[in-house]
């Protein structure tokens, strides 16, 4: 998935046909083999602490996460991050729908989705 173009840029998968909702949700499937490859600067990933080996780019659909995530924005998702930090935004699959949502830990291993 990760290819080094030169010291400053890497090639990462962009699943442009895999839409993640910022609203009511979308039902989608994507195959990594169908991903477009795009070049991005390593500094962008470093700035946000995103693992270069596990990053995938996804388009946002809907406006319920505005102004943080605007409709049609390209979102960098670190597939290695699975530990919930209260109040952070995650790409989640909930009941077959894929969404960008705020997550919060609850007692007894519960999770609140906002």
């Amino acid at each position: 998935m990760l290819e080094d173009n030169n010291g400053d840029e890497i090639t990462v998968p962009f699943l442009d046909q895999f839409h993640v909702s910022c609203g009511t949700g979308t039902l989608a499937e994507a195959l990594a083999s169908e991903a477009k490859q795009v070049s991005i600067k390593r500094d962008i990933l470093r700035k946000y602490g995103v693992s270069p080996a596990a990053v995938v780019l996804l388009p946002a659909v809907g406006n319920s996460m505005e102004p943080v995530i605007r409709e049609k924005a390209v979102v960098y998702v670190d597939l290695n991050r699975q530990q919930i930090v209260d109040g952070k935004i995650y790409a989640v699959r909930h009941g077959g729908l894929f969404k960008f949502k705020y997550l919060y830990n609850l007692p007894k291993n519960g999770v609140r989705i906002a």
Side-chain angles (χ1 to χ4, degrees):
M1 268 202 323
L2 175 70
E3 182 181 309
D4 201 341
N5 293 339
N6 61 40
D8 296 337
E9 290 189 347
I10 58 172
T11 302
V12 298
F14 175 41
L15 299 169
D16 64 335
Q17 298 302 310
F18 186 87
H19 297 164
V20 182
S21 178
C22 291
T24 58
T26 58
L27 182 59
E29 289 185 18
L31 299 173
S33 62
E34 294 178 7
K36 292 182 180 180
Q37 298 296 311
V38 297
S39 295
I40 60 172
K41 295 209 177 278
R42 283 185 183 273
D43 290 345
I44 293 171
L45 299 179
R46 213 174 284 127
K47 177 180 177 180
Y48 295 106
V50 176
S51 170
V55 69
V56 62
L57 282 57
L58 302 170
V61 176
N63 61 6
S64 73
M65 295 298 291
E66 284 188 5
V68 179
I69 301 176
R70 298 187 191 284
E71 183 165 6
K72 298 182 183 174
V74 174
V75 180
Y76 295 61
V77 176
D78 186 339
L79 300 175
N80 283 342
R81 290 192 186 177
Q82 297 182 11
Q83 193 78 357
I84 295 172
V85 177
D86 284 343
K88 296 290 184 181
I89 298 172
Y90 294 85
V92 297
R93 183 179 71 184
H94 183 250
L97 301 176
F98 295 86
K99 301 179 180 187
F100 289 119
K101 291 295 178 187
Y102 290 100
L103 298 183
Y104 300 88
N105 289 298
L106 295 174
K108 299 181 182 182
N109 294 321
V111 176
R112 180 169 66 104
I113 301 172

